[in-house]
Amino acid sequence: LIFGWGELTIRLPGAIFGILIILAIYFFTLRLFNNQKIAILASFFTAITPFEIFFSRKSFENVAGIFFMLVGFTLLLTYLQNKSKTMWLYGGVFILAIASYTYFSHAIIIPLMLILFFLIYRESLVNKSGIRAGLFWLVLILPLIFLVLTNSDVRYRSQKVFITKDVNLGERMQNTKTFDPILDYLLEKKAVFDFSFNRFLAQFDPIYVFGNGLDFTNQGYLGVGPLMIVQLPFVILGILYLIGVKEKSREKKFILVWVALGMLPSGLTFEPTSPHRSIMVFTMFIIICAAGLTLFFSKYANWYLKIFVSLAIFVNFIYFIHMYAINFPHEKFQHLHYPFEQVSKFMWSEYDNFDQIVFDPLYGQSAPIIGTAAHYYVGYFGNYPPSKMQKEYRLGEKEREVLFDKF
């Protein structure tokens, strides 16, 4: 309505929230630790850390969700420091309700986080104001709850990405078959639990988080993780800092809840790793990294070490930019949906000449994959009304097959 039908309209939200999240991190960290140095460093790392740049430029909707999460919990933490102003409390639950609508997994994770936040700070929140704010939040997310419980598309989406769709788990479940149906059921559930727990723990693998998790290159370990390798020692120092701080027991519980719940969507899906589902956890790792670097600078580092660390961060950032701008487009171009625009425009140029047009998105140089979201490109570059696509959209019988109009 405002900017018209153009690529800028699609790219702008990611750019806006990618910038605003730098400010949101600052105020959230400041309220969490009451330490301006940690808050400034957290903002700095947010501006240069690979996953923040990568996913905001790809306009992932969960970047907006993380922004609203940070703002919402910042307002709640502000209320805890000044309980006379309930507007912070109501503003916080209102923003967190908005965040729940932004991304599929946030519809489950954010409500759970808010409930646990109220339990952690129950001494300050379980009162008349807290109960009223909780009811206000419940009213705001009732449509979302209704959608999750009743919409068949939501259930289909959950089933398609759930960990039971993993091929390796399927083979393991087949190997548990006996002649006793009760024993079969118990062994099957145990196999799912064991596999899920191991998958969840694998999301914290340092090689994945700091080494090659963004899959920019075919060169194995010489890749780029969601966080830079130079941040690893400071994340460890940050964890030690949190363990050593005695007066922040509730904040530490909140951070633990944030990390544990935030990693569930990635840990419970059929993909071995899915960093786009773990952005909220990597965001917290940035804050922990900032705490670790603050501890390092204040207690252990002289000027020589400070200069060395600064240079190491700079070199690591330049390496990330090189991998992102040079290696990634050439070695992993299938992840960029490289030919989809050209194919879509060609399809529309031939629209009147055929009764049916087939777009086969199986391609890729390193390993053929079925490219996702091909139908969105076709719809966009044909100025196809979204409301019309929503009515005509249907799933085919083949893997990832989508049908609409004559496509």
Side-chain angles (χ1 to χ4, degrees):
L1 180 65
I2 298 174
F3 296 101
W5 192 292
E7 290 189 32
L8 175 65
T9 310
I10 295 175
R11 296 183 181 277
L12 196 59
I16 290 173
F17 286 112
I19 294 170
L20 289 179
I21 203 170
I22 298 172
L23 292 173
I25 282 277
Y26 171 81
F27 289 107
F28 174 77
T29 307
L30 188 63
R31 289 290 178 266
L32 192 64
F33 289 108
N34 294 318
N35 187 313
Q36 193 172 46
K37 291 181 180 179
I38 297 177
I40 291 173
L41 282 174
S43 294
F44 166 73
F45 277 123
T46 300
I48 68 168
T49 299
F51 82 91
E52 292 284 5
I53 295 173
F54 180 62
F55 288 112
S56 64
R57 293 192 77 245
K58 290 188 76 170
S59 291
F60 266 78
E61 61 269 34
N62 50 349
V63 174
I66 300 301
F67 168 77
F68 287 121
M69 279 183 64
L70 291 167
V71 173
F73 282 113
T74 299
L75 295 178
L76 292 182
L77 290 169
T78 303
Y79 167 76
L80 293 175
Q81 296 176 8
N82 187 1
K83 299 184 186 64
S84 62
K85 295 186 177 181
T86 56
M87 65 176 184
W88 301 121
L89 177 61
Y90 285 97
V93 296
F94 176 75
I95 296 296
L96 288 170
I98 292 176
S100 300
Y101 285 89
T102 57
Y103 188 57
F104 187 79
S105 64
H106 287 178
I108 306 298
I109 298 300
I110 292 177
L112 289 175
M113 281 193 62
L114 187 58
I115 292 169
L116 290 172
F117 182 86
F118 266 69
L119 290 175
I120 291 170
Y121 292 94
R122 56 185 175 275
E123 296 176 1
S124 302
L125 292 174
V126 180
N127 50 41
K128 288 184 179 180
S129 296
I131 293 172
R132 289 171 183 168
L135 291 174
F136 174 59
W137 167 77
L138 186 61
V139 170
L140 292 174
I141 67 164
L142 274 177
L144 184 61
I145 295 173
F146 178 78
L147 181 69
V148 169
L149 295 178
T150 62
N151 191 288
S152 59
D153 291 334
V154 173
R155 291 194 299 272
Y156 175 81
R157 170 68 176 169
S158 302
Q159 293 168 359
K160 288 295 286 184
V161 302
F162 194 57
I163 197 168
T164 51
K165 295 297 180 180
D166 189 283
V167 175
N168 295 320
L169 176 58
E171 293 177 357
R172 187 175 301 184
M173 291 167 65
Q174 287 295 324
N175 293 333
T176 63
K177 298 296 183 183
T178 68
F179 297 102
D180 188 335
I182 297 177
L183 183 59
D184 284 350
Y185 176 81
L186 294 175
L187 290 174
E188 181 179 300
K189 297 304 177 186
K190 182 181 181 301
V192 172
F193 174 81
D194 292 345
F195 193 86
S196 302
F197 185 67
N198 289 325
R199 172 67 58 81
F200 176 78
L201 293 179
Q203 308 306 306
F204 298 96
D205 184 347
I207 295 176
Y208 160 66
V209 177
F210 300 95
N212 55 16
L214 290 183
D215 196 23
F216 281 173
T217 177
N218 296 323
Q219 300 178 46
Y221 295 121
L222 300 175
V224 175
L227 278 73
M228 295 183 289
I229 187 66
V230 74
Q231 292 175 280
L232 173 58
F234 301 112
V235 170
I236 296 172
L237 270 179
I239 294 171
L240 295 176
Y241 168 82
L242 291 173
I243 294 173
V245 175
K246 296 180 180 179
E247 65 272 13
K248 292 283 185 180
S249 60
R250 290 182 298 183
E251 286 76 9
K252 287 189 283 188
K253 291 177 183 176
F254 176 54
I255 291 171
L256 183 62
V257 164
W258 184 296
V259 172
L261 287 180
M263 204 59 96
L264 281 177
S266 180
L268 294 178
T269 54
F270 70 97
E271 299 168 304
T273 56
S274 46
H276 60 282
R277 295 189 176 97
S278 309
I279 289 180
M280 62 180 290
V281 178
F282 300 142
T283 300
M284 185 56 72
F285 283 169
I286 282 180
I287 296 173
I288 295 172
C289 173
L293 188 57
T294 301
L295 176 66
F296 179 77
F297 278 167
S298 63
K299 290 191 175 184
Y300 304 111
N302 54 33
W303 279 106
Y304 297 106
L305 280 174
K306 289 179 180 179
I307 293 173
F308 175 77
V309 169
S310 300
L311 285 174
I313 293 172
F314 175 75
V315 170
N316 205 163
F317 177 71
I318 295 300
Y319 176 76
F320 152 64
I321 293 298
H322 175 82
M323 297 297 290
Y324 185 32
I326 306 300
N327 291 60
F328 182 53
H330 291 283
E331 296 184 43
K332 299 287 185 178
F333 71 85
Q334 61 263 33
H335 298 310
L336 297 174
H337 295 172
Y338 165 68
F340 283 15
E341 176 183 351
Q342 292 85 343
V343 173
S344 299
K345 288 179 177 178
F346 176 74
M347 289 166 66
W348 282 106
S349 71
E350 299 291 331
Y351 183 84
D352 295 327
N353 298 328
F354 297 92
D355 296 323
Q356 186 180 59
I357 300 176
V358 178
F359 181 171
D360 182 1
L362 178 67
Y363 73 116
Q365 61 182 27
S366 57
I369 60 171
I370 298 177
T372 60
H375 53 292
Y376 293 133
Y377 284 83
V378 177
Y380 171 78
F381 287 107
N383 288 354
Y384 205 81
S387 58
K388 188 177 179 182
M389 179 183 281
Q390 289 170 5
K391 292 177 182 178
E392 296 188 357
Y393 176 96
R394 60 196 188 278
L395 296 173
E397 296 179 356
K398 300 177 182 178
E399 184 180 358
R400 293 189 181 275
E401 185 180 23
V402 169
L403 302 94
F404 76 97
D405 200 272
K406 63 168 65 175
F407 303 109

